[in-house]
Amino acid sequence: MIERIGTMKKVRKAVIPVAGLGTRFLPATKSMPKEMLPVVDRPVVQYAVDEALEAGIEHIVFVTGRNKAVIEDYFDLHPELVGTLEQAGKVDQIKSLESLLPVPGATSFTRQQAPHGLGHAVWCARDIIGDEPFALLLPDMVSFGKRGCLAEIMELHAETSGNVIAVEQCDPSETNKYGIVGKGPDVGSGFEVTAMVEKPAPASAPSNFYINGRYILQPEIFNLLGTQKRGAGGEIQLTDAMVRLAASQAFFARPFNGRMFDCGSKEGFIQANVAFALKRADIRDSVLDAIRDMVAEHDHVAAA
């Protein structure tokens, strides 16, 4: 029997998995974590942290792996750099760097020793999260809109106190590229989820709403992940455990009023850089002019 969560607990903590190898960005990720690749002048992981803090998250748990120590260092003080900037009189840059530092004690780092999948990475955070609902942000997915995606689904969680997934709509012919949810009755600012299917064929897809990398999950997911059998790719899949949890707890979805860029793909990473550059008043005009020139040159060469 599916039940709604009776008493709502505040979502205070977020999990950000950063243990992936980033093979789609080799050779760049041979020595640099993919989460540190810059979108304009901020690493990808910074956007996820900013989004979490905007939504009211108080503590962020990073699930790391080998060769990811630079991420932990990034969210720490850099006295030598600050000293150099002070000598150069670059006060604004110092203030900008200080604004990115987490509150002391507001971050934790735990290690995923081997790449056993997203579900396993989330399970690695179980002891730090404890018995409370938590947010999950996949850092490859960069939120672009008037406000962050997590802030939006926090509203639906407040309305339902249940498990919440952020979704967007894809072309119905491309459902085989995504995790798809079935759309049930409208609830608050979203709708009830009736099914979750990983990469269904268009003919059998329950809808064209796909999961875009933002979740609020109840702590019972950890027990299920601890017993979850390996699924696609021989990995422990989060979606498989979510399907099991949905047998006893309600899931809800809210369409994101914005756009997610998949910075785990080359195309999405480039698109994100263009979108965020055009949003910046200090570089917008020069970037826009350069894009126009490159498009005109491409069209001229293509027509020749």
Side-chain angles (χ1 to χ4, degrees):
M1 179 179 177
I2 298 176
E3 298 181 355
R4 296 195 181 188
I5 308 302
T7 303
M8 186 182 76
K9 292 183 179 180
K10 181 180 180 182
V11 180
R12 301 185 310 111
K13 299 176 183 178
V15 175
I16 301 181
V18 292
L21 298 176
T23 54
R24 287 187 288 179
F25 274 91
L26 287 170
T29 50
K30 182 180 178 181
S31 58
M32 173 188 289
K34 63 176 180 175
E35 296 83 9
M36 292 302 294
L37 294 173
V39 172
V40 186
D41 56 4
R42 291 185 174 212
V44 167
V45 69
Q46 181 70 61
Y47 289 90
V49 170
D50 292 345
E51 183 183 345
L53 296 177
E54 176 202 14
I57 293 298
E58 301 170 8
H59 192 106
I60 297 175
V61 182
F62 295 92
V63 182
T64 71
R66 285 187 295 276
N67 301 319
K68 299 290 180 127
V70 65
I71 297 175
E72 188 168 354
D73 291 341
Y74 172 79
F75 290 104
D76 200 355
L77 290 168
H78 292 77
E80 298 84 359
L81 175 59
V82 172
T84 300
L85 293 174
E86 285 177 341
Q87 291 179 2
K90 297 183 177 180
V91 178
D92 289 342
Q93 284 187 312
I94 294 174
K95 290 181 178 179
S96 177
L97 290 174
E98 289 177 344
S99 70
L100 301 178
L101 289 175
V103 175
T107 55
S108 297
F109 294 82
T110 188
R111 181 69 68 95
Q112 182 187 27
Q113 285 87 354
H116 294 315
L118 175 60
H120 182 262
V122 173
W123 181 75
C124 288
R126 65 197 182 281
D127 288 340
I128 303 174
I129 297 298
D131 187 24
E132 56 186 287
F134 64 98
L136 170 64
L137 301 92
L138 307 190
D140 286 354
M141 307 301 292
V142 175
S143 174
F144 185 80
K146 290 185 178 179
R147 60 176 179 157
C149 184
L150 185 60
E152 290 195 355
I153 65 172
M154 282 284 207
E155 292 181 350
L156 184 54
H157 177 262
E159 295 165 350
T160 65
S161 73
N163 300 280
V164 182
I165 308 168
V167 296
E168 295 180 52
Q169 289 182 281
C170 66
D171 188 297
S173 66
E174 296 184 342
T175 57
N176 60 336
K177 298 180 180 179
Y178 305 99
I180 301 294
V181 303
K183 184 180 185 301
D186 290 342
V187 178
S189 56
F191 59 83
E192 191 161 351
V193 172
T194 58
M196 287 178 277
V197 187
E198 192 66 30
K199 299 180 179 179
S204 60
S207 77
N208 67 328
F209 284 99
Y210 70 92
I211 302 171
N212 74 359
R214 296 293 183 270
Y215 314 74
I216 295 174
L217 298 170
Q218 297 298 319
E220 288 78 10
I221 194 74
F222 291 120
N223 288 335
L224 297 175
L225 288 170
T227 59
Q228 183 61 50
K229 295 180 180 179
R230 294 179 182 271
E235 297 181 336
I236 298 172
Q237 298 293 338
L238 176 65
T239 303
D240 293 342
M242 287 167 54
V243 169
R244 292 171 64 198
L245 183 59
S248 59
Q249 290 185 4
F251 272 74
F252 304 90
R254 174 165 171 165
F256 176 38
N257 187 30
R259 177 179 179 182
M260 280 287 187
F261 289 105
D262 181 3
C263 289
S265 72
K266 297 179 180 70
E267 298 88 348
F269 179 71
I270 293 169
Q271 291 166 9
N273 269 279
V274 172
F276 278 92
L278 293 178
K279 191 178 179 181
R280 288 269 296 264
D282 58 333
I283 58 176
R284 179 185 184 278
D285 291 342
S286 60
V287 170
L288 188 57
D289 287 343
I291 292 172
R292 287 170 175 160
D293 290 343
M294 285 187 281
V295 170
E297 182 179 354
H298 175 272
D299 291 345
H300 175 73
V301 171

